[in-house]
Amino acid sequence: IITIYSSLTYTSPSLGNLALKQAIWYGVGWILVIILIKLGNDYLYRHTWFLYIVGNILLLLLLFFGTPINNSRCWFTIPGIGSIQPSEFMKIFIMLVLATMIHDFRSDYKNPDCKDEFIFILKTLGVLIIPSILTFLQPDTGAVLIYLIIYFSMMFVSGIRLRWFIGAILFLILIVGGILLLYFFKEGIFIKIFGTSIYYRLERLFNWTSGSGLQLENSLAAIGSAGLFGHGYNHTPIYFPESSTDFIFAVYASNFGLVGVLLLIGIIIYFDISVLLLTHKKIEDTNKYIIAGILGMLIFQQIQNIGMTIGLFPITGITLPFISYGGSSLLSYMLIIGILLNISDKKNRTYKYK
């Protein structure tokens, strides 16, 4: 909240006091945590398919009724409340569905053969592909990447044979390699096949390699000039777009310097390790699958967001969990907190949704 307030220096006044709004969202988030603790994770497991279907319906409606912001239809605007981004909640719904599917598969097949695993993989891919396509059409490529990370994280701990992952990696290399060959050497054919929208998205993605662009150049200047202790609270020295969301880390680093950054990264690592240590408790396998998805999502977003602000990774619009401004984003992470607290509490660990 402090960092969001500092970012208001270069934020449009029409957006209002984002720090106050974020504080309110935190309050709402804690109410959701309390409600979820009262209900228990079992409530979510029993309604997981309902939540998944509702999430996909909302993603579909976005394509027709979503509010256009920066050439994307990722949000519903609710008067008096703000914008709601369904893809943020879809991440949790995908986790829940995959966790229950993996649990059921492991329960029904103690020693599955390759055919059984192949059919199971096709079913899980079906669950992943539907929201991925709907989200990609908005377009929100960053959310689709997170869906994929969640999927592979959970499938990796599901116990299926390693050969499927090797095959998937080789397949992806061939597909992505072919697409990139067309992009770099046959632009005309690429545009005819995939259209100009995807072409410009890839062009934006690869611009980071040159280190050019207003966002990246100014972010590097703000971070690089901060020194050990930064420019001081609410003293962001230079403007860059999306300072309260995608580039919130640059605001924090410029204000509090290397010492502040090390403190923040230390807190992030401590949090991630604490989540990982939950797997050492006596918990149901379903909860372990959920934790795998949560960790995969969090670590990917943390590394990607911080990396893109210092030029190590492409700029993808992926936010920093719990730090970047965003009501939907924050509420989804607070729901995750509720799920994790239920897993850590012995009386709420039981898996009995059937």
Side-chain angles (χ1 to χ4, degrees):
I1 294 173
I2 289 172
T3 309
I4 291 171
Y5 184 83
S6 181
S7 73
L8 296 181
T9 304
Y10 300 113
T11 302
S12 172
S14 63
L15 296 176
N17 190 330
L18 299 183
L20 177 60
K21 290 181 180 179
Q22 190 78 340
I24 294 172
W25 284 122
Y26 259 113
V28 175
W30 279 114
I31 293 173
L32 288 179
V33 169
I34 294 170
I35 292 172
L36 187 53
I37 289 174
K38 295 293 184 182
L39 294 174
N41 288 352
D42 179 61
Y43 181 85
L44 294 178
Y45 295 145
R46 283 188 282 110
H47 295 86
T48 181
W49 284 103
F50 171 77
L51 294 171
Y52 174 79
I53 292 170
V54 169
N56 279 299
I57 291 174
L58 291 175
L59 291 177
L60 179 62
L61 291 176
L62 273 177
L63 301 178
F64 301 98
F65 305 108
T67 303
I69 301 176
N70 295 331
N71 298 318
S72 298
R73 291 181 177 271
C74 303
W75 300 269
F76 289 116
T77 299
I78 303 176
I81 296 178
S83 299
I84 301 296
Q85 188 173 3
S87 62
E88 292 291 344
F89 300 99
M90 197 68 219
K91 297 182 292 190
I92 300 177
F93 302 158
I94 289 174
M95 284 186 211
L96 292 170
V97 170
L98 289 177
T100 55
M101 290 181 72
I102 296 170
H103 170 83
D104 292 344
F105 178 73
R106 302 309 303 180
S107 299
D108 296 337
Y109 297 92
K110 300 300 181 184
N111 295 295
D113 56 27
C114 288
K115 180 182 177 182
D116 295 328
E117 288 188 346
F118 181 69
I119 294 173
F120 170 66
I121 290 171
L122 290 180
K123 291 179 180 178
T124 57
L125 283 174
V127 166
L128 176 70
I129 287 172
I130 295 171
S132 296
I133 291 174
L134 293 174
T135 304
F136 185 78
L137 292 174
Q138 293 174 9
D140 187 355
T141 311
V144 176
L145 287 174
I146 295 171
Y147 295 165
L148 291 172
I149 293 296
I150 290 171
Y151 177 81
F152 281 107
S153 298
M154 298 181 71
M155 293 299 288
F156 188 77
V157 301
S158 69
I160 63 174
R161 290 171 173 83
L162 188 61
R163 69 185 66 172
W164 297 114
F165 293 96
I166 296 173
I169 291 171
L170 292 175
F171 178 75
L172 285 174
I173 290 174
L174 288 174
I175 295 296
V176 173
I179 292 173
L180 292 180
L181 283 174
L182 288 177
Y183 170 77
F184 285 113
F185 301 107
K186 298 290 183 180
E187 293 182 3
I189 297 175
F190 181 94
I191 292 173
K192 285 182 180 179
I193 296 174
F194 299 104
T196 55
S197 175
I198 295 179
Y199 177 82
Y200 286 122
R201 270 193 259 179
L202 282 178
E203 190 174 56
R204 180 174 179 264
L205 192 66
F206 286 109
N207 275 343
W208 71 280
T209 56
S210 64
S212 61
L214 176 67
Q215 275 185 309
L216 181 56
E217 289 179 354
N218 289 11
S219 172
L220 290 172
I223 296 172
S225 63
L228 275 178
F229 301 104
H231 296 283
Y233 169 62
N234 205 20
H235 286 85
T236 307
I238 193 170
Y239 165 79
F240 39 84
E242 310 299 339
S243 58
S244 62
T245 52
D246 301 354
F247 278 76
I248 193 72
F249 178 79
V251 176
Y252 177 86
S254 67
N255 284 192
F256 303 109
L258 179 61
V259 173
V261 166
L262 292 177
L263 174 63
L264 176 61
I265 292 176
I267 293 172
I268 289 172
I269 293 173
Y270 175 78
F271 179 81
D272 293 345
I273 291 175
S274 298
V275 175
L276 178 62
L277 290 177
L278 288 177
T279 60
H280 292 281
K281 294 187 176 185
K282 190 177 181 181
I283 61 176
E284 296 283 348
D285 287 343
T286 314
N287 290 327
K288 291 183 179 180
Y289 305 142
I290 287 286
I291 290 173
I294 291 172
L295 275 177
M297 178 188 71
L298 288 176
I299 294 173
F300 171 71
Q301 288 193 239
Q302 291 157 357
I303 293 175
Q304 170 62 34
N305 178 272
I306 293 174
M308 76 180 188
T309 61
I310 57 178
L312 291 180
F313 299 116
I315 297 173
T316 56
I318 291 175
T319 56
L320 187 59
F322 298 103
I323 309 297
S324 295
Y325 173 78
S328 300
S329 174
L330 182 57
L331 290 182
S332 70
Y333 296 127
M334 296 304 283
L335 285 173
I336 286 172
I337 291 295
I339 291 172
L340 292 173
L341 288 174
N342 282 338
I343 293 173
S344 67
D345 187 354
K346 187 175 182 179
K347 67 181 181 182
N348 286 327
R349 291 181 200 164
T350 306
Y351 182 79
K352 53 189 178 185
Y353 81 98
K354 281 189 174 181

